[in-house]
Amino acid sequence: DTGVSQNPRHKITKRGQNVTFRCDPISEHNRLYWYRQTLGQGPEFLTYFQNEAQLEKSRLLSDRFSAERPKGSFSTLEIQRTEQGDSAMYLCASSLSRDRKSSPLHFGNGTRLTVT
Amino acid sequence: AQKITQTQPGMFVQEKEAVTLDCTYDTSDPSYGLFWYKQPSSGEMIFLIYQGSYDQQNATEGRYSLNFQKARKSANLVISASQLGDSAMYFCAMRGTRGKLIFGQGTELSVKP
């Protein structure tokens, strides 16, 4: 169990550029979540997958955001035409789906995005 | 809609004393789970404790216990014998039948020596 891995740790980009983040979950976990966290706030749900199926996407999520989990293992989160308001920490988490209510989410260390 | 409310932006506690962090929730799901996470200044989210909505007893994990009052829709975290390393942000979270976990705004706990 090597934990949830996120890359890159930091990303600085100019407004209008596209960025892509990667998340590798714990290997036996079939659920994968993306969250966004700004300073002093709780994590905000973006989307989650069970295996390769995207089960829910936040209504707050702009269509500039897209996430994939093509083979049910790692996931990517892409932000197109970045805006300064996208600057945040992007957290990935994974969990088991059996007895899903009690299975805690295990978080990665996040990708910090700064849009200049 | 589901909602988690943490009304204490910041709390102070003396080392070795106990502290209670408040959390109230709202949901229409008949079955749900409540979680507490710790986020130190280094940024990682650390799972602390879980309480199921049908659990008869309050959850405990070492120095952490969850004071679950279902009728009042509250799930307060109690930390006993506070340590300097407990200084961190603490988040209450809830997961309903749809599977996603939603978080409160957090409480920043500072432990004084």
Side-chain angles (χ1 to χ4, degrees), chain A residues 62-107:
Chain A
S62 156
D63 59 6
R64 296 184 296 106
F65 287 71
S66 62
E68 293 183 339
R69 196 183 181 196
K71 296 182 180 179
S73 55
F74 74 92
S75 175
T76 58
L77 176 69
E78 181 183 19
I79 309 174
Q80 295 182 326
R81 305 181 303 281
T82 52
E83 302 172 356
Q84 287 187 323
D86 297 331
S87 295
M89 178 72 85
Y90 289 83
L91 295 169
C92 177
S94 68
S95 75
L96 295 168
S97 64
R98 68 168 186 269
D99 191 17
R100 57 182 182 271
K101 295 184 193 65
S102 68
S103 297
L105 271 61
H106 297 262
F107 283 83

Side-chain angles (χ1 to χ4, degrees), chain B residues 3-57:
Chain B
K3 188 176 180 181
I4 293 280
T5 302
Q6 294 180 253
T7 58
Q8 306 155 311
M11 291 278 288
F12 289 93
V13 65
Q14 206 68 35
E15 193 179 9
K16 301 182 184 177
E17 292 186 350
V19 63
T20 298
L21 306 184
D22 294 342
C23 172
T24 58
Y25 62 91
D26 192 19
T27 181
S28 56
D29 287 342
S31 177
Y32 49 90
L34 296 156
F35 300 77
W36 277 90
Y37 281 81
K38 172 184 178 181
Q39 189 175 42
S41 57
S42 53
E44 72 267 34
M45 293 285 286
I46 302 167
F47 165 68
L48 296 178
I49 194 167
Y50 163 80
Q51 178 84 44
S53 58
Y54 288 113
D55 292 345
Q56 295 297 313
Q57 293 190 325

Side-chain angles (χ1 to χ4, degrees), chain A residues 35 41 48 100 103 105, chain B residues 35 37 95 98 101 105:
Chain A
Y35 286 83
Q41 302 295 313
Y48 84 99
R100 57 182 182 271
S103 297
L105 271 61
Chain B
F35 300 77
Y37 281 81
R95 175 191 253 163
R98 297 187 67 180
L101 194 66
Q105 295 293 85

